[in-house]
Amino acid sequence: MNLHNTTSAISVRGLWKVFGDNPEKIVNSPDANLSRSELRAKTGNTAAVKDVSFDVAPGEVFVVMGLSGSGKSTLVRCLTRLIEPTAGSVLFNGEDVLKANPARLRELRRSAFSMVFQHFGLLPHRKVIDNIAYSLEINGVKKIERHKRAQEVIELVGLEGYSEAYPEQLSGGMQQRVGLARALAVDPQVMFLDEPFSALDPLIRRDMQTEVIRLHKEVGKTMIFITHDLSEAMKLGDRITIMRDGAVVQMGTAEDLIGKPADSYVADFMRDISKSHVLTLRYLARPARPGEATDGPELDSSTIIRDASQIISQHMKPVRVSENGKALGIVSSEDILKLISGDAR
């Protein structure tokens, strides 16, 4: 997917959320640089989101991750004004969501945005098809039309045969599929997913991650996905933002974060991820040394290092790395061994 888009689906600038009295006084003040405990002790305020800015391209899966208390869930709620931000702007197709009046905000939540939470929030007395159609019902869509749309989405998320079931008859994973289907039913432009799978057991969680990837390929929705799980972020995100104490620490692709962590906090996050499974040849490419073979096989710079190592071992020569037809350098088996041994330390 091309992320170098001239327009953004969502553009966030200078977003703050401060809890407490007179929160505006904290925004961009010297006190905002205090630690959370120091700020609370001095002012009684808590800065849950601090001066956050980012753009999300149309069709991008943008992951926000961090430990508990990092501000990621507050952030996503600010984007749809489930929590009112203290300062900043959230532009959706050029319109500032923070300036929308109540009627316009309801319209955006009903038709342009959809949210999927950790807690499914299904209506227990309604069948699956009516749970999915509920978002259309509150938009005034007639029963025949909303059931037709719900049935389409049921097939899309793999719930065939369950339209007449009640939520209590479904497993956690199936209930979350209903939640996904309900969010998709209104054909939103942006989906906000706040730790949607964290209550599921690991095997079901992995299945649901795969399901989101498949759905994204089929429907191409812009997604802002919140998680505290690094492997989930790596699997789903086109780009990942890491938050700590309300602020963005680093933003980039998985390769950016693993190859060039901004600080020890990010490096610690990435510690258990095998670099050779994520980084590409672009990261290791270097000029050939005197006498080094330069007639090995040619590979694109986007080739994952783990895959390239198998080719190098077959040919017993460094691979030539190219990008858009231009030579970037070579990568040898020793380069890869150094990287892997660094992983092992």
Side-chain angles (χ1 to χ4, degrees):
M1 189 197 69
N2 178 21
L3 298 181
H4 304 291
N5 223 301
T6 52
T7 57
S8 299
I10 295 282
S11 184
V12 178
R13 291 290 177 272
L15 194 68
W16 289 77
K17 178 57 188 178
V18 181
F19 292 100
D21 295 332
N22 300 314
E24 301 82 8
K25 289 184 178 179
I26 306 300
V27 174
N28 292 321
S29 73
D31 284 345
N33 296 318
L34 297 172
S35 70
R36 279 201 171 166
S37 57
E38 289 170 334
L39 179 65
R40 200 176 300 115
K42 182 177 179 181
T43 68
N45 295 99
T46 299
V49 176
K50 294 166 61 174
D51 198 18
V52 170
S53 299
F54 59 85
D55 292 289
V56 182
E60 181 178 7
V61 179
F62 185 84
V63 173
V64 182
M65 69 166 298
L67 301 176
S68 180
S70 62
K72 57 191 186 299
S73 288
T74 303
L75 171 65
V76 76
R77 283 165 167 76
C78 283
L79 300 182
T80 55
R81 286 176 59 191
L82 291 174
I83 293 175
E84 286 290 347
T86 307
S89 64
V90 177
L91 300 181
F92 167 66
N93 293 338
E95 174 187 1
D96 192 348
V97 176
L98 306 193
K99 292 180 180 174
N101 64 32
R104 175 58 179 154
L105 188 56
R106 280 195 299 273
E107 186 183 337
L108 286 169
R109 288 175 181 166
R110 285 177 177 178
S111 58
F113 301 156
S114 65
M115 293 200 69
V116 183
F117 294 102
Q118 175 183 340
H119 302 292
F120 317 129
L122 303 183
L123 303 167
H125 60 287
R126 289 190 174 220
K127 294 176 181 178
V128 164
I129 193 164
D130 290 311
N131 262 286
I132 293 169
Y134 181 68
S135 53
L136 297 170
E137 183 180 341
I138 60 175
N139 283 354
V141 178
K142 293 179 181 175
K143 187 171 183 178
I144 292 175
E145 289 177 38
R146 66 178 186 256
H147 272 206
K148 182 185 176 188
R149 173 61 182 162
Q151 197 59 51
E152 289 172 3
V153 185
I154 280 170
E155 292 170 16
L156 184 66
V157 302
L159 282 170
E160 298 95 331
Y162 290 92
S163 61
E164 298 299 309
Y166 287 92
E168 65 177 16
Q169 297 171 299
L170 304 178
S171 68
M174 297 295 270
Q175 288 183 36
Q176 194 54 293
R177 284 175 191 265
V178 178
L180 276 174
R182 183 177 56 191
L184 285 165
V186 295
D187 195 23
Q189 292 183 54
V190 183
M191 294 181 71
F192 300 90
L193 301 100
D194 187 7
E195 303 219 42
F197 310 141
S198 58
L200 305 175
D201 73 50
L203 284 177
I204 297 174
R205 183 172 187 155
R206 211 157 38 237
D207 287 345
M208 291 305 297
Q209 290 164 358
T210 304
E211 189 67 16
V212 165
I213 292 167
R214 181 188 68 80
L215 281 172
H216 186 256
K217 283 180 180 172
E218 288 196 27
V219 297
K221 296 294 179 192
T222 303
M223 296 182 180
I224 298 179
F225 194 105
I226 307 298
T227 184
H228 65 268
D229 184 294
L230 180 61
S231 61
E232 185 164 83
M234 294 282 177
K235 188 172 182 179
L236 298 177
D238 291 313
R239 284 184 303 144
I240 301 165
T241 284
I242 295 183
M243 291 186 71
R244 177 181 58 198
D245 293 339
V248 170
V249 182
Q250 189 171 0
M251 187 184 306
T253 63
E255 189 173 10
D256 294 332
L257 300 180
I258 287 179
K260 295 177 182 175
D263 61 13
S264 58
Y265 180 78
V266 179
D268 200 46
F269 253 117
M270 303 295 152
R271 190 182 57 215
D272 296 327
I273 298 290
S274 177
K275 290 180 180 178
S276 62
H277 290 206
V278 177
L279 296 177
T280 62
L281 288 176
R282 187 184 298 108
Y283 177 77
L284 282 183
R286 59 170 176 80
R289 301 185 187 104
E292 204 167 17
T294 56
D295 59 343
E298 184 176 337
L299 292 177
D300 188 79
S301 62
S302 62
T303 307
I304 299 292
I305 288 169
R306 177 185 55 181
D307 299 334
S309 65
Q310 297 167 355
I311 295 168
I312 291 172
S313 63
Q314 287 168 8
H315 290 266
M316 304 301 287
K317 287 182 178 181
V319 293
R320 293 175 294 133
V321 182
S322 64
E323 185 167 273
N324 299 324
K326 182 184 174 186
L328 286 188
I330 66 166
V331 173
S332 69
S333 55
E334 290 86 75
D335 297 324
I336 292 174
L337 281 170
K338 277 183 192 172
L339 182 80
I340 294 170
S341 64
D343 272 351
R345 279 199 298 273

